[in-house]
Amino acid sequence: MHDSPGESRSLLGRLFGAAPSRRRVLGAAGLGAAGVVLGSAAATTPEGLRAMNSAVPRRRVDRDDVPHARTWMSWPSRSSIWGGRALAGVQQDIALIAKTIARYEPVVMCAPDSSTAATARSWCGPAVTVTTAIGTDGLWMRDIAPVFRRDGRGGIDAIGLNFNGWGNKQAHSYDAHVAESIAYEQHLPFSRTDFAGEGGAVETDVDGTVMATESSLVNNNRNRGWSRAEVEDAVLHAYGADKTIWVPGIKGKDITDDHIDVTSRFISPGVVMVQVPPASRDDVWARDARGQLSGLSAATDARGRRLKVVKVDGPDTVRSKNPGFVDSYMNFHVINGAVITAQFGDSAKDAAAKRALAAAFPGRTVIQLDVDRLMAGGGGIHCSTMAEPLP
């Protein structure tokens, strides 16, 4: 017998999942507390969610291309997660991303202690604000930070997605509380969603539609016993949307159980950009990407529009020899005046991806960075950042 969503308050703290491979956990440090606090059980039923939506002004999660107040990041500091040699390279890449973003908008880098903060300041320089007020375990701010919403009247609040270490696969005693801590520091109203998940698993068009990865969210290591319909209702309520377009995703092959922000992104309402692999690739990730392209090409959004899909070719070659390397141009971060994405040393494909992003975000400078050390760890630029919109 399955447990109902209302019973998940006591269950989410003991979820377990498959070992990661793409975003690797290098040298397990043990599992931290899940830190999951859920809302009322009544809100987890479809009827309860619809009643709540009709009773209060609707809050919506913005796309990344709205004006930002700042970008939040987290300094990688644990050799127990990364290993000593890998850690230095990842720190180099995080510093490069932070310094690049800081040319366009404020960056706040979270660090767990004064020693770590001093290292972060030396790498990032004075343009990046480093704080120890918000402790972190890892660097994947897209998944641990709050998701910010607007109420349509100039107000902003923050919601936490009950981060539980991607299904208790990694230590997260600090990371479980980052969302609430950021909201507190920014004096924003804060609440938690009824489901457990991560920001990288959901894309929104701010016009009533979200895309989400089923393998990540409809998973017993996050939401034990929940049906897809129950997860969908909770996601729609949290994001202020009307329709979910699900992509199947892949369970158990990486620590995230597959996140949509590596392959498919909303560019604007009704327009999606999807990265597809070279024809020579037939691994599980390549098949997943082709499936997303096919499914999204046939999908309609909440307004009944057939999605326009912009296809971007992935690189034919990359510099990294790491089998867990993520060769994603789609893991870009849109900031005030620019788009920050990766390059992989494939000059033709790098240039084509840059042109596609410039066309998708006119008026913004497209900057491509070599962040191979970070992407060998299973994530990229979007995964390591979270934008806070201007009120």
Side-chain angles (χ1 to χ4, degrees):
M1 186 174 84
H2 289 311
D3 301 297
S4 71
E7 293 170 317
S8 61
R9 181 191 301 271
S10 61
L11 292 168
L12 284 171
R14 57 178 192 268
L15 300 177
F16 294 91
S21 61
R22 190 169 65 159
R23 184 180 295 171
R24 299 171 303 152
V25 180
L26 304 174
L31 299 176
V36 177
V37 179
L38 301 182
S40 67
T44 63
T45 66
E47 296 78 8
L49 291 171
R50 283 191 287 269
M52 289 179 67
N53 271 334
S54 63
V56 298
R58 192 168 223 191
R59 296 177 181 271
R60 295 185 184 271
V61 177
D62 266 326
R63 291 194 314 272
D64 286 350
D65 61 350
V66 300
H68 296 174
R70 62 192 54 82
T71 286
W72 291 89
M73 298 184 68
S74 172
W75 185 250
S77 61
R78 296 201 177 190
S79 58
S80 57
I81 292 175
W82 289 98
R85 182 178 299 178
L87 179 60
V90 172
Q91 289 175 334
Q92 171 189 331
D93 286 356
I94 288 295
L96 175 61
I97 294 168
K99 288 188 289 186
T100 303
I101 296 172
R103 288 158 43 191
Y104 295 88
E105 65 185 55
V107 176
V108 180
M109 183 76 68
C110 301
D113 54 58
S114 58
S115 175
T116 301
T119 303
R121 291 187 184 100
S122 69
W123 280 85
C124 296
V128 175
T129 300
V130 179
T131 178
T132 58
I134 301 166
T136 56
D137 298 291
L139 65 83
W140 306 111
M141 191 58 84
R142 182 66 47 175
D143 293 346
I144 64 177
V147 174
F148 299 95
R149 304 185 299 185
R150 295 184 189 274
D151 63 8
R153 298 176 296 189
I156 291 180
D157 75 345
I159 54 172
L161 304 187
N162 299 305
F163 179 74
N164 74 341
W166 305 283
N168 279 331
K169 300 189 192 84
Q170 183 171 297
H172 55 281
S173 55
Y174 283 111
D175 285 350
H177 303 287
V178 167
E180 185 172 6
S181 297
I182 288 177
Y184 176 82
E185 288 294 316
Q186 298 304 106
H187 307 289
L188 293 174
F190 178 78
S191 59
R192 292 190 180 273
T193 60
D194 292 294
F195 69 96
E198 303 89 37
V202 183
E203 276 281 304
T204 179
D205 73 347
V206 202
D207 196 32
T209 308
V210 296
M211 299 188 297
T213 318
E214 184 173 348
S215 56
S216 179
L217 296 176
V218 189
N219 192 321
N220 280 342
N221 63 23
R222 271 84 155 184
N223 300 296
R224 183 173 296 277
W226 287 43
S227 69
R228 192 177 82 167
E230 289 166 336
V231 175
E232 179 170 309
D233 277 328
V235 170
L236 292 176
H237 173 64
Y239 277 73
D242 303 301
K243 180 176 181 177
T244 304
I245 301 172
W246 289 101
V247 299
I250 306 164
K251 286 186 180 180
K253 291 294 185 180
D254 77 322
I255 199 171
T256 71
D257 295 297
D258 200 6
H259 277 175
I260 196 165
D261 69 344
V262 169
T263 307
S264 302
R265 303 286 301 276
F266 271 120
I267 300 302
S268 61
V271 183
V272 177
M273 186 173 281
V274 181
Q275 179 171 318
V276 294
S280 59
R281 276 186 56 185
D282 192 40
D283 56 83
V284 65
W285 301 108
R287 293 193 296 272
D288 176 57
R290 294 186 189 110
Q292 289 190 34
L293 176 67
S294 175
L296 292 172
S297 296
T300 56
D301 65 11
R303 306 298 176 223
R305 296 171 294 212
R306 182 78 167 262
L307 291 182
K308 177 184 178 182
V309 178
V310 179
K311 186 177 77 169
V312 173
D313 291 324
D316 292 315
T317 61
V318 297
R319 293 175 292 257
S320 177
K321 303 301 182 185
N322 191 302
F325 188 77
V326 178
D327 58 350
S328 173
Y329 298 118
M330 291 302 95
N331 205 249
F332 57 82
H333 181 42
V334 184
I335 58 175
N336 297 338
V339 180
I340 313 296
T341 190
Q343 54 93 345
F344 304 106
D346 183 331
S347 57
K349 294 299 176 63
D350 288 350
K354 185 174 184 177
R355 288 194 298 270
L357 288 171
F361 298 102
R364 284 181 162 89
T365 302
V366 179
I367 302 171
Q368 292 184 302
L369 304 177
D370 173 357
V371 287
D372 283 2
R373 280 81 24 205
L374 177 67
M375 302 191 88
I381 295 167
H382 189 256
C383 296
S384 62
T385 57
M386 177 58 85
E388 179 186 338
L390 279 169

